[in-house]
Amino acid sequence: MQQPVWHAISVESALEQLQSQLSGLSQQQAKQRLLDYGPNQLPATRKKSALTRFAQQFHNLLIYILIAAAIITALLGQWIDFSVILGVVFINALIGYIQEGKAERALDAISNMLSQQASVIRDNKAMPLNAVELVPGDIVQLQSGDKVPADLRLIDSHELRIDEAILTGESLSSQKSISPCQEQSALGDRNCMAYSGTLITFGTATGLVVSTGRHTEIGQISDMLGNVDVLETPLLKRISKFARWLTLAIMILTSITFLYGFFVQGYTATDMFLAAVGLAVAAIPEGLPAIITITLAIGVQAMANRKAIIRKLPAVETLGSVTTICSDKTGTLTCNEMTVKNIITAAGNYEVSGVGYAPLGNITLINHAEKITVNSCLEELSRAAMLCNDARLYQENGQWVLHGDPTEGALVTMAMKTGQDADVLYGQCPRIDAIPFESEHRFMATLHHDHKGQYFMYVKGAPERLIDMCVTQKLSGDETPIDKQFWHDKVNELAEKGQRVLAIASKLMEKSQDLSFSDTQQGLSLLGFVGMIDPPREEAITSVKACHNAGINVKMITGDHAATAVAIGRILGIGDGKAVLTGVDIDNMDNDALIQSVQDIDIFARTSPIHKLRLVTALQSTGQIVSMTGDGVNDAPALKRADVGVAMGMKGTSVAKETAEMVLVDDNFKSIVNAVEQGRTVYDNIKKSILFILPTNGGEALTILAAIILGRLLPITPVQILWVNMITAVTLALALAFEPAEKNVMKRPPRNPAEPLLTPFLIWRIIFVSVILLFGTFGLFIFERESGSSIEYSRTVALNMLVTFEIFYLFNARYIIEHAFKREVLFGNRYAVYAVGILIVFQLILTYTAPAQLLFGTEAINLESWARIIIIGCSIFFLVEAEKFVLRYKRRKSETVVD
């Protein structure tokens, strides 16, 4: 049976549908319904055992390659390397185990947001009840401070305001009533509903339970979160593809080599088996997975220093691939503090500087730069704004803190900027009586006296309402007939800026101790309007521009109204200042239409959790790598689906934090941009590491192949190959993980998500350098053998030749295209210099100490051999720089042709 659209039907219809009444269900009815509907709680998630969770951390391609490398080193008797590799595997698994444990608590965090107690009417009696026992049809009483225990259709409401930020993402409390809404109303506009898990901030109400447990809005989010697929990161996709290609290539190469050596060159099967093992060891970049993991870990630390906490290691690289950032508005792009920006009186229009609740800023007459002197109109308006107000501002630990409604807090701040002192004003004009704000009459009124027998009333509320209630307007201390058209034009003017407009009026009263509704309906004089907005962060404006320069699209997805979203977008540089899609528009689109729309529109307003999830999925279907920001429970499904989910650390819910890959410590959009920059740097450094490590493997493999083809002894043994691979990986290649960001890192477009790990250019560079290593290493080995040196001596020379090549090549690899003839090549990354020094020490130990000679089959070599090694070794630096010069020349030439 299809559920009614509860927010679109009357109270009477809702009671009839659930066969309930205002006196509540009977205990017998409630007991039966509890059996029919089940308890009011989210279903428990099936949890993996700790052992299963830990074992699954090894189900990762990076880990498989590391384990394979460990097995090879164990078979070759390299127990130290074996222990180091297994240590890396274990630490990586332990980190993943801890982080997954946090992620698994996301659904638990949602459950903890549900109310534990409820005040329910049964058998016409009010009684406390465990919220788990609530059933559809129950009548629940609500008051300020309560957490709503289930989804309720309001049947009575008195000044009710509810903080629905966990569902809508908006910080302003929603004002509630009992009138039905349009069927297609967005969740934030359903004023006759109270949703499970939200918080009553003001007023009282009675509601009819219409949904419990998993059928509530928060329950549907929980279900959505459990069913969202997590996408594999771009890096893992590339490494998976590369590993398959490399495995196949090594199998084919070793098989052909074995057959060639056995049948053509006449080697024994044993000799060829050892040669094939040597070839496989040479070709497998066993140090690469560890270097990638360490590079990512270094990126995590660097991001933490820039206010971004990474919870899942591969997300570091994914950030560098991001092509679209979908950002929430409130608190991320904006300050999440309502601020008065404009004041309009009959005497003039004013701008207010400053942001947030700190009373710091000036008030200037529009088109006049100097600070104005507060005139009588502005002074009375600011007095009224502070007195007709229930909010208070306090300083705590040097920070201004608001106690009360954000809108009223903005008015208090504005009044303090004009010079009003709250304590003094409250003493001079004490409040006698008040009419609190109610959505039915859309205004608030307060009655005051000045200790001199003067009584006066201040009123604030919706501008359309107060314009009709006023007969005059204040102008420099005098009252003139109200110009309604003027004020209606000003309402539209401020609304176009996305500002929330409040009107403020006053009235002199006769001596009275009571304030009646009829007192507000005649004789009011309009003081003016205030326009307020949650202003964009200054740094967000520059950060959005930086994203555009980097080729990254920024899209705003908010629960706020369309006009406000467009206005904020216009200031930030998001969108074209006009186009916006609302949640209702999205509901009316099929997936194909939505996919088309998301490519052209950058602002989405009045969105729900399913809208956010659909938008992220639609963007991904166009090939975009999407980062999604959020702070509420409503954001969790989209955060989980996004390639990189980003949660707010200060104001975000625990659900959002546990679901996301990254948490912003300062809730600032700028930190996302910093993280993207760091992610790009990490990927650059991974690419440099690949560009450094793979030519080593290529040179070793080609050297062994050349020896077999020419029928010579192997110039370097499998044990020596493994030594070179591991020692250079943990010294030279590791130094590349500390490379600083390149100057143009945020001035180039995101890389193509479909780009393979090895581009044609990288393949060319790897082959080019591998050939240089082949000729130098194998050539010097042949020279030593032809000169009468022993096989051990010749292999030691070849081994040191290979390492020396890599030392010089390290400084080429620090700059992929740029030349390395610069001061920074030695001093830009101190870790590179340290790595070279450590490597030289290890090579001397390998060459000249007896235990190492016995273990690795090396022999001490003379100074003449060292001279040849160094002279030939430095040639690689100049050859690669010459290749870079040619590439830069061709690139400039092609760009000139395009221009």
Side-chain angles (χ1 to χ4, degrees):
M1 178 179 173
Q2 187 174 0
Q3 285 284 320
V5 181
W6 297 111
H7 60 268
I9 64 176
S10 66
V11 171
E12 293 74 18
S13 296
L15 288 166
E16 184 180 345
Q17 290 279 350
L18 289 169
Q19 298 179 7
S20 184
Q21 54 279 327
L22 296 179
S23 60
L25 301 174
S26 67
Q27 291 290 2
Q28 187 60 38
Q29 284 177 307
K31 185 176 181 180
Q32 182 59 48
R33 292 192 186 192
L34 190 61
L35 294 173
D36 294 339
Y37 291 97
N40 178 34
Q41 61 187 15
L42 301 182
T45 55
R46 186 177 178 182
K47 297 182 179 178
K48 306 174 206 171
S49 69
L51 185 61
T52 301
R53 282 213 337 262
F54 185 72
Q56 285 184 337
Q57 302 309 313
F58 298 92
H59 183 54
N60 181 301
L61 190 59
L62 287 172
I63 301 301
Y64 290 155
I65 297 174
L66 282 172
I67 292 173
I71 292 171
I72 291 172
T73 55
L75 292 174
L76 294 172
Q78 302 300 305
W79 299 110
I80 294 177
D81 291 336
F82 170 77
S83 301
V84 169
I85 296 172
L86 280 191
V88 171
V89 170
F90 179 80
I91 291 170
N92 191 70
L94 187 62
I95 292 171
Y97 170 78
I98 293 170
Q99 296 292 8
E100 186 177 312
K102 291 181 180 178
E104 199 174 65
R105 290 194 289 273
L107 294 178
D108 293 342
I110 292 181
S111 298
N112 293 335
M113 300 185 84
L114 301 183
S115 176
Q116 304 301 312
Q117 288 292 127
S119 175
V120 64
I121 297 174
R122 286 187 179 170
D123 290 325
N124 207 23
K125 295 179 181 177
M127 56 184 291
L129 186 74
N130 190 319
V132 172
E133 299 178 38
L134 283 178
V135 295
D138 265 328
I139 304 296
V140 173
Q141 296 177 323
L142 302 171
Q143 61 182 357
S144 182
D146 285 350
K147 190 178 282 187
V148 180
D151 283 4
L152 309 178
R153 172 60 169 91
L154 297 176
I155 56 181
D156 179 56
S157 172
H158 183 66
E159 304 173 36
L160 185 68
R161 301 179 196 174
I162 302 182
D163 179 357
E164 296 180 326
I166 64 167
L167 294 177
T168 65
E170 295 310 306
S171 56
L172 287 178
S173 297
S174 298
Q175 297 170 352
K176 297 295 182 177
S177 67
I178 64 172
S179 303
C181 310
Q182 293 291 325
E183 184 172 333
Q184 290 187 320
S185 297
L187 189 143
D189 294 328
R190 298 173 190 172
N191 296 328
C192 61
M193 298 292 296
Y195 290 106
S196 180
T198 58
L199 184 67
I200 309 297
T201 59
F202 195 82
T204 59
T206 304
L208 170 69
V209 176
V210 295
S211 299
T212 59
R214 66 183 304 172
H215 301 293
T216 60
E217 284 291 327
I218 203 169
Q220 291 175 42
I221 293 173
S222 178
D223 283 348
M224 223 187 301
L225 186 59
N227 294 326
V228 171
D229 294 327
V230 180
L231 299 183
E232 191 178 24
T233 69
L235 178 64
L236 293 181
K237 288 179 183 177
R238 290 177 177 87
I239 289 183
S240 178
K241 189 174 182 179
F242 170 71
R244 290 194 299 269
W245 172 85
L246 184 63
T247 302
L248 179 62
I250 290 172
M251 290 175 61
I252 293 173
L253 185 60
T254 52
S255 299
I256 292 174
T257 302
F258 181 88
L259 294 173
Y260 174 83
F262 183 75
F263 290 107
V264 178
Q265 291 290 358
Y267 288 103
T268 65
T270 301
D271 289 340
M272 282 314 303
F273 176 76
L274 291 174
V277 168
L279 182 60
V281 169
I284 294 174
E286 61 272 356
L288 183 59
I291 291 300
I292 291 176
T293 302
I294 292 168
T295 304
L296 292 173
I298 291 170
V300 167
Q301 183 60 46
M303 288 182 184
N305 294 334
R306 302 181 77 176
K307 310 297 185 183
I309 306 300
I310 298 294
R311 298 184 59 254
K312 299 175 183 178
L313 206 57
V316 179
E317 181 274 335
T318 311
L319 275 163
S321 311
V322 164
T323 59
T324 299
I325 297 176
C326 295
S327 179
D328 189 20
K329 175 182 72 68
T330 306
T332 309
L333 292 169
T334 64
C335 301
N336 199 20
E337 293 181 331
M338 292 299 289
T339 304
V340 173
K341 301 302 290 183
N342 288 95
I343 302 172
I344 295 179
T345 70
N349 301 344
Y350 307 91
E351 288 184 343
V352 184
S353 64
V355 172
Y357 302 124
L360 305 174
N362 296 324
I363 297 177
T364 56
L365 190 64
I366 290 180
N367 298 324
H368 291 74
E370 68 276 6
K371 180 179 177 181
I372 61 100
T373 301
V374 177
N375 56 43
S376 58
C377 285
L378 191 57
E379 182 178 15
E380 187 170 3
L381 181 143
S382 65
R383 282 161 49 91
M386 183 170 280
L387 291 172
C388 187
N389 200 313
D390 291 324
R392 296 291 183 269
L393 285 177
Y394 302 93
Q395 270 195 303
E396 295 180 3
N397 301 319
Q399 298 291 322
W400 286 93
V401 179
L402 168 67
H403 289 238
D405 182 79
T407 299
E408 294 196 322
L411 293 175
V412 174
T413 304
M414 180 270 292
M416 294 174 72
K417 289 177 183 178
T418 67
Q420 300 291 347
D421 184 301
D423 292 335
V424 171
L425 192 57
Y426 299 148
Q428 290 176 343
C429 307
R431 182 187 295 188
I432 303 170
D433 197 8
I435 297 176
F437 181 92
E438 288 191 13
S439 56
E440 285 77 11
H441 52 245
R442 300 167 65 202
F443 66 80
M444 172 185 179
T446 56
L447 179 63
H448 305 265
H449 73 84
D450 65 358
H451 300 291
K452 298 176 182 178
Q454 188 96 327
Y455 291 80
F456 44 90
M457 175 178 64
Y458 289 130
V459 183
K460 77 170 189 292
E464 298 86 355
R465 183 79 172 91
L466 261 66
I467 289 172
D468 290 338
M469 292 164 60
C470 291
V471 293
T472 62
Q473 61 192 33
K474 283 290 179 73
L475 179 61
S476 301
D478 297 325
E479 293 185 9
T480 61
I482 188 168
D483 183 349
K484 293 190 176 183
Q485 187 58 51
F486 168 82
W487 293 107
H488 282 299
D489 290 343
K490 292 302 179 181
V491 170
N492 295 332
E493 182 181 312
L494 294 178
E496 286 178 1
K497 296 180 180 180
Q499 295 182 11
R500 182 181 182 186
V501 185
L502 279 180
I504 300 177
S506 67
K507 178 183 177 182
L508 286 175
M509 301 285 289
E510 296 180 3
K511 185 175 181 180
S512 173
Q513 297 298 315
D514 298 308
L515 188 61
S516 65
F517 189 80
S518 61
D519 293 328
T520 67
Q521 300 306 297
Q522 55 186 352
L524 286 178
S525 183
L526 188 61
L527 298 175
F529 290 166
V530 293
M532 63 185 69
I533 198 167
D534 179 10
R537 295 174 181 262
E538 289 296 327
E539 61 271 29
I541 297 173
T542 56
S543 297
V544 168
K545 185 176 180 180
C547 284
H548 291 157
N549 290 337
I552 300 171
N553 295 319
V554 180
K555 296 184 183 291
M556 181 196 299
I557 305 178
T558 177
D560 210 340
H561 294 281
T564 304
V566 170
I568 293 293
R570 192 181 299 120
I571 299 170
L572 288 165
I574 300 175
D576 60 4
K578 297 177 182 178
V580 60
L581 272 187
T582 66
V584 174
D585 297 328
I586 296 171
D587 285 334
N588 293 330
M589 289 182 175
D590 60 22
N591 288 336
D592 291 337
L594 185 59
I595 289 170
Q596 185 61 43
S597 294
V598 295
Q599 298 179 66
D600 303 321
I601 295 176
D602 293 332
I603 297 178
F604 306 89
R606 260 1 208 173
T607 55
S608 70
I610 189 64
H611 297 145
K612 294 183 178 184
L613 182 58
R614 285 189 66 196
L615 287 168
V616 170
T617 305
L619 285 164
Q620 289 171 332
S621 69
T622 66
Q624 302 287 318
I625 303 297
V626 180
S627 172
M628 172 74 194
T629 73
D631 54 9
V633 181
N634 59 317
D635 298 315
L639 289 175
K640 186 176 179 182
R641 172 69 190 189
D643 297 278
V644 182
V646 181
M648 303 298 108
M650 294 173 64
K651 298 177 181 177
T653 61
S654 57
V655 182
K657 294 175 190 176
E658 298 291 355
T659 305
E661 284 82 9
M662 183 171 83
V663 178
L664 299 184
V665 174
D666 57 357
D667 291 11
N668 196 329
F669 186 80
K670 181 181 179 182
S671 296
I672 304 174
V673 180
N674 290 340
V676 169
E677 179 182 354
Q678 190 64 46
R680 289 188 174 191
T681 301
V682 165
Y683 187 79
D684 283 349
N685 292 348
I686 288 174
K687 192 160 63 172
K688 290 173 185 177
S689 297
I690 291 171
L691 205 53
F692 178 81
I693 290 173
L694 292 189
T696 304
N697 299 104
E700 292 166 348
L702 288 176
T703 300
I704 291 174
L705 280 174
I708 294 170
I709 291 171
L710 296 176
R712 307 295 296 244
L713 291 173
L714 296 182
I716 186 168
T717 66
V719 175
Q720 291 171 344
I721 289 171
L722 189 61
W723 164 263
V724 173
N725 288 352
M726 293 305 296
I727 194 63
T728 57
V730 298
T731 55
L732 304 183
L734 182 58
L736 293 172
F738 294 92
E739 280 294 303
E742 294 186 2
K743 292 179 181 178
N744 67 338
V745 69
M746 289 300 284
K747 294 182 180 179
R748 64 191 190 213
R751 65 182 181 277
N752 185 345
E755 178 185 285
L757 192 64
L758 293 182
T759 62
F761 162 70
L762 291 183
I763 293 172
W764 152 252
R765 174 68 62 79
I766 290 166
I767 293 173
F768 178 68
V769 176
S770 297
V771 170
I772 296 174
L773 266 59
L774 162 66
F775 280 104
T777 305
F778 191 56
L780 199 54
F781 172 78
I782 296 296
F783 175 83
E784 293 292 347
R785 289 294 288 158
E786 295 296 329
S787 300
S789 299
S790 67
I791 185 65
E792 289 80 8
Y793 188 96
S794 300
R795 282 174 172 167
T796 306
V797 169
L799 173 64
N800 281 290
M801 181 72 260
L802 194 58
V803 172
T804 303
F805 267 141
E806 295 205 43
I807 289 174
F808 282 101
Y809 178 56
L810 171 68
F811 297 100
N812 296 118
R814 289 194 57 212
Y815 305 97
I816 296 175
I817 295 293
E818 285 186 55
H819 69 81
F821 296 107
K822 57 182 74 175
R823 183 177 181 276
E824 289 83 359
V825 77
L826 287 177
F827 302 104
N829 180 357
R830 67 180 186 276
Y831 297 103
V833 179
Y834 298 160
V836 170
I838 293 169
L839 180 55
I840 289 173
V841 171
F842 274 108
Q843 282 304 115
L844 292 175
I845 292 172
L846 180 77
T847 304
Y848 294 104
T849 63
Q853 291 173 345
L854 180 65
L855 189 61
F856 290 97
T858 56
E859 194 173 295
I861 59 178
N862 58 38
L863 289 177
E864 185 180 346
S865 294
W866 274 117
R868 281 191 291 269
I869 289 170
I870 293 171
I871 292 170
I872 295 172
C874 71
S875 67
I876 194 171
F877 180 84
F878 297 101
L879 289 170
V880 173
E881 287 306 311
E883 178 248 7
K884 287 184 187 179
F885 175 81
V886 173
L887 287 174
R888 290 195 302 271
Y889 174 77
K890 288 184 175 180
R891 178 176 292 182
R892 285 196 300 269
K893 192 173 181 180
S894 65
E895 289 174 353
T896 303
V897 170
V898 171
D899 291 342

